Amino acid sequence: MSDNQSWNSSGSEEDLEPREEPGHPVGIGEFSGVLSKWTNYIHGWQDRWVVLKNNTLSYYKSQDETEYGCRGSLCLTKAVITPHEFDECRLDISVNDSVWYLRAQDPEHRHQWIDSIELHRSIREGRREKGGVQGTVIIPPPLADSGYGSESSLRRHGSMLSLTSATSGYSATSTSSFKGHSLREKLAEMETFRDILCRQVDTLQKYFDSCADAVSKDELQRDKIVEDDEDDFPNTRTDGEFLHNNNNNGSKEKLFQSLSPKGINGIDFKGEAITFKATTAGILATLSHCIDLMVKREDSWQKRVDKEMEKRRRIEESYKSALNELKKKSHFGGPDYEEGPNSLINEDEFFDAVEAALDRQDKIEEQCQTEKTRLQRSSPVPPGDVYSSTGTHRFSDKVEEMVQSHMTYSLQDVGGDANWQLVVEEGEMKVYRREVEENGIVLDPLKATHSVKGVTGHEVCHYFWDTAYRNDWETTIENFNVVETLSDNAAIVYQLHKRVWPASQRDVLYLSAMRKVLANNENDPDTWLVCNFSVDHEDAQPSSRCVRAKINIAMICQTLVSPPEGDKEISRDNILCKITYVANVNPGGWAPASVLRAVAKREYPKFLKRFTSYVQDKTAGKPILF
């Protein structure tokens, strides 16, 4: 385990095992350390202090700022932890639409974080399940929730069901469920029949109750008569039947009298039965009419149902499609859409995004350029003999080697070389390119020639080399600093370039040296040269936040002077600077080749025109610096 990752001071890894104490919850260990978190497409990956505690993942800007509160947190209960398919140091943690992109310093630390997160989740889940045994478990009844009746509600009980309660629920909803006029009328008729039927059922129930009471009383009287006459012997018939005396016959006559049609409370049982039969017949007839009406409407209803089902199906398909697209692009701008071998953004979208970002930078630069030209900066110009030698610093031999290489090869004419392609021609400026790729990375050498009136080679190289003027004409730099000054004409410079999303941010560390190379004969002009080439330095190590580019660039200038008329002094109208600019850049990273070439074709001519115009403006009205 690294120094940046540790368990809390109160325990060790054993703290992750649940310990139960009376009245206290199960304790879970704390895990913390430094992880790189994707912030946004401008700042990219930033180191953050991440704490895993109580099933919650929180992050702070640094370990020293934990007392000020976390900058964000995620509950891991429903979180989805996804180790990246290609990046062995990266893990993504998502909860609904919120996604954290995290990177550990190596695969081992990523495994430690994933194991710790899963251990927290499993302990938390186990504790929740254990606590649920002692609590109240609520299981929703599936039949009740789904709207269907349960088995008990469908079972017929022994007690008599109330016809009124059974039919009232149906009548309450029937009139609102069917919109047809005839159907409503039939339902109203059924409600009327229902009221009549309920009254008749009540009447018949009273009659049946009276009959039951009469039978019970008659049985009691008969039992009493049998007890009084138990000493009498009954007459016996040959077939074994027992015949009672005349008292028995009298009780039968009383029972038949009580069962007469109007013998109980004046109820006409026969008439009530006829009416009950007519009422039920009317209900059946009305139900038949309702069924006929509903059958006639079934086709139209089925068409409506089919139409709604089809509409629902299309909506569900659209929802699923939109959801899939949302999952793919909801975090557009995250690390999966930045520059890389497995980027989800295609080359056309990549170029469009880069071009849009460069256009925005150009507009911002145009607004700031007016203010920059008002600032009058000046730095002392060393005597010319300072640039005639390389110096005695530790990179002297390397600088001399670079200078001789550029003087030998960079000044050669490439106009007739088939390997070089003319990609831009604007007036006196021509830009050539030779396509070279190595391991899928574009390493195209580029060479540009230009002629600028009114300035000397010394002046052009002076403004190109002197960092005091760098921000005036360089629009792609976010910040820079001189890491080490080697001599009066050589320095090591660190340069951080602006992020152009979706490309990764890049930086470069290079040695910049300015030299004057004297001509071999008096008829040839002297040559001024600035060469910038990548070096390493212990005070500017590569960072995971940026892609370190490698460069070998030279600005080579020669001054041509035309004789003035008569006795006039040489003016800026008599001088012309021939510029040869060569650039060999290894951008690193995984930017698409077509995008890099398109950007180079667009940006290099703009840079040359912008820089040379800046030199013309700065030298106008000043003494000529040969």
Side-chain angles (χ1 to χ4, degrees):
M1 188 173 298
S2 67
D3 296 336
N4 292 330
Q5 292 178 263
S6 61
W7 296 101
N8 62 344
S9 58
S10 62
S12 62
E13 295 184 13
E14 296 177 357
D15 292 334
L16 285 177
E17 295 298 326
R19 300 193 303 267
E20 293 188 54
E21 297 177 7
H24 292 80
V26 177
I28 301 179
E30 176 182 321
F31 191 55
S32 58
V34 175
L35 289 175
S36 295
K37 183 178 183 297
W38 176 264
T39 54
N40 51 54
Y41 73 87
I42 296 177
H43 300 292
W45 297 98
Q46 299 289 332
D47 288 343
R48 294 290 182 260
W49 181 258
V50 182
V51 176
L52 173 61
K53 183 179 181 182
N54 295 334
N55 205 39
T56 299
L57 197 67
S58 308
Y59 78 91
Y60 307 81
K61 187 175 182 181
S62 65
Q63 187 177 5
D64 298 332
E65 296 189 7
T66 54
E67 59 183 5
Y68 301 120
C70 68
R71 293 197 164 197
S73 62
L74 283 178
C75 179
L76 299 176
T77 302
K78 296 184 179 180
V80 179
I81 294 89
T82 307
H84 198 266
E85 183 178 0
F86 305 105
D87 191 342
E88 295 182 350
C89 298
R90 177 177 150 194
L91 65 151
D92 301 345
I93 303 177
S94 60
V95 178
N96 297 329
D97 293 335
S98 178
V99 181
W100 285 12
Y101 305 103
L102 303 173
R103 286 189 92 253
Q105 59 184 9
D106 53 49
E108 180 182 355
H109 289 130
R110 183 184 78 165
H111 291 319
Q112 290 179 1
W113 274 100
I114 293 175
D115 293 343
S116 300
I117 291 172
E118 294 296 344
L119 188 54
H120 269 247
R121 284 154 59 96
S122 62
I123 292 177
R124 176 70 63 173
E125 186 66 23
R127 188 173 69 186
R128 185 177 64 178
E129 292 178 358
K130 187 172 182 179
V133 175
Q134 300 173 352
T136 301
V137 180
I138 300 175
I139 302 176
L143 292 175
D145 288 349
S146 62
Y148 295 96
S150 63
E151 183 182 356
S152 61
S153 66
L154 298 175
R155 187 183 298 118
R156 181 178 180 86
H157 298 282
S159 60
M160 177 179 288
L161 297 176
S162 170
L163 183 60
T164 304
S165 61
T167 56
S168 60
Y170 174 76
S171 63
T173 58
S174 59
T175 54
S176 61
S177 300
F178 307 104
K179 301 300 182 182
H181 179 70
S182 298
L183 188 59
R184 283 201 299 268
E185 289 181 351
K186 292 299 179 182
L187 292 173
E189 290 179 10
M190 288 184 63
E191 290 185 7
T192 303
F193 280 125
R194 181 203 66 183
D195 296 336
I196 297 172
L197 189 61
C198 288
R199 290 195 296 268
Q200 291 175 347
V201 168
D202 291 338
T203 301
L204 292 174
Q205 185 66 48
K206 292 177 182 179
Y207 181 81
F208 294 145
D209 292 341
S210 299
C211 289
D213 292 341
V215 171
S216 298
K217 291 178 181 179
D218 181 69
E219 288 179 351
L220 288 174
Q221 291 178 1
R222 185 175 59 186
D223 292 340
K224 185 176 180 180
I225 294 172
V226 171
E227 290 175 359
D228 292 341
D229 298 337
E230 62 183 357
D231 293 335
D232 298 334
F233 291 97
N235 298 325
T236 304
R237 292 187 179 180
T238 57
D239 56 1
E241 265 191 333
F242 292 101
L243 298 177
H244 291 281
N245 56 16
N246 292 333
N247 290 334
N248 257 347
N249 295 331
S251 64
K252 290 180 181 180
E253 291 175 359
K254 293 178 181 178
L255 177 60
F256 287 126
Q257 289 177 0
S258 65
L259 294 177
S260 63
K262 293 186 179 181
I264 301 175
N265 298 327
I267 297 175
D268 185 1
F269 175 70
K270 186 176 181 180
E272 289 292 338
I274 295 173
T275 307
F276 181 79
K277 182 178 180 180
T279 304
T280 53
I283 290 177
L284 292 175
T286 306
L287 283 174
S288 178
H289 294 160
C290 291
I291 291 172
D292 292 340
L293 290 172
M294 286 188 286
V295 167
K296 291 179 181 178
R297 293 191 178 185
E298 182 179 5
D299 293 339
S300 62
W301 287 346
Q302 187 63 44
K303 291 179 181 178
R304 287 186 182 182
V305 171
D306 293 341
K307 185 177 180 180
E308 291 298 324
M309 292 295 291
E310 178 65 20
K311 184 178 179 182
R312 179 177 177 177
R313 186 188 63 80
R314 290 197 301 267
I315 292 175
E316 288 179 348
E317 290 179 354
S318 300
Y319 171 76
K320 291 179 180 179
S321 176
L323 187 62
N324 291 333
E325 291 296 324
L326 183 63
K327 289 180 179 179
K328 292 180 180 179
K329 298 188 177 182
S330 60
H331 307 290
F332 195 81
D336 289 323
Y337 288 89
E338 67 171 349
E339 172 189 341
N342 305 300
S343 176
L344 299 181
I345 188 171
N346 59 45
E347 289 192 15
D348 292 337
E349 293 174 336
F350 197 104
F351 176 73
D352 291 341
V354 169
E355 188 176 41
L358 292 174
D359 289 340
R360 288 194 297 269
Q361 288 186 6
D362 290 343
K363 290 181 180 179
I364 296 174
E365 187 61 29
E366 288 176 4
Q367 297 172 357
C368 300
Q369 194 62 38
T370 304
E371 185 65 26
K372 287 182 179 180
T373 54
R374 296 176 183 173
L375 300 176
Q376 297 295 325
R377 293 189 182 90
S378 62
S379 62
V381 180
D385 55 357
V386 171
Y387 302 107
S388 299
S389 63
T390 303
T392 57
H393 52 81
R394 64 183 184 279
F395 290 101
S396 298
D397 293 341
K398 185 65 175 177
V399 171
E400 186 64 27
E401 178 186 345
M402 288 292 180
V403 169
Q404 295 303 322
S405 175
H406 286 302
M407 291 298 297
T408 302
Y409 301 106
S410 298
L411 290 178
Q412 292 179 357
D413 186 15
V414 296
D417 193 335
N419 294 323
W420 290 86
Q421 302 174 7
L422 179 64
V423 292
V424 176
E425 183 174 8
E426 296 181 9
E428 295 292 332
M429 180 175 61
K430 295 180 180 180
V431 180
Y432 300 89
R433 180 180 68 205
R434 183 161 55 90
E435 293 188 358
V436 176
E437 287 191 28
E438 184 177 324
N439 297 325
I441 300 178
V442 175
L443 304 176
D444 294 353
L446 184 139
K447 184 173 184 178
T449 59
H450 195 24
S451 298
V452 183
K453 293 182 179 180
V455 295
T456 65
H458 188 180
E459 292 170 334
V460 172
C461 288
H462 170 68
Y463 286 105
F464 184 73
W465 177 80
D466 197 336
T467 56
Y469 305 99
R470 183 68 50 85
N471 280 330
D472 290 350
W473 56 267
E474 180 61 271
T475 62
T476 65
I477 294 178
E478 186 172 301
N479 59 66
F480 73 94
N481 64 285
V482 177
V483 178
E484 182 182 354
T485 301
L486 300 175
S487 64
D488 290 339
N489 65 337
I492 296 177
V493 181
Y494 172 78
Q495 211 163 260
L496 178 65
H497 289 264
K498 296 176 182 177
R499 173 77 188 275
V500 181
W501 186 86
S504 301
Q505 190 170 25
R506 284 170 165 76
D507 62 359
V508 60
L509 181 69
Y510 61 94
L511 188 152
S512 181
M514 181 174 172
R515 284 289 306 280
K516 177 183 179 182
V517 180
L518 299 177
N520 293 327
N521 60 71
E522 59 182 11
N523 293 326
D524 293 334
D526 296 337
T527 301
W528 288 87
L529 176 146
V530 175
C531 61
N532 298 336
F533 57 91
S534 292
V535 294
D536 296 325
H537 198 282
E538 59 183 6
D539 293 338
Q541 297 294 330
S543 169
S544 60
R545 302 174 185 173
C546 300
V547 176
R548 177 64 58 89
K550 302 293 184 180
I551 64 170
N552 183 6
I553 294 174
M555 177 76 75
I556 307 170
C557 302
Q558 293 177 330
T559 305
L560 303 179
V561 181
S562 61
E565 295 181 359
D567 296 332
K568 293 182 179 179
E569 295 182 356
I570 296 176
S571 67
R572 293 193 176 275
D573 294 334
N574 303 117
I575 58 177
L576 177 71
C577 181
K578 294 187 65 177
I579 299 175
T580 300
Y581 179 80
V582 292
N584 293 272
V585 179
N586 182 348
W590 295 91
S594 61
V595 176
L596 289 175
R597 289 182 174 125
V599 171
K601 181 179 179 181
R602 162 189 163 138
E603 292 300 311
Y604 276 112
K606 287 172 58 179
F607 152 71
L608 273 178
K609 289 191 291 185
R610 181 174 63 249
F611 173 69
T612 53
S613 297
Y614 170 79
V615 176
Q616 287 176 322
D617 293 339
K618 293 294 289 185
T619 56
K622 293 183 179 180
I624 300 175
L625 183 64
F626 286 101

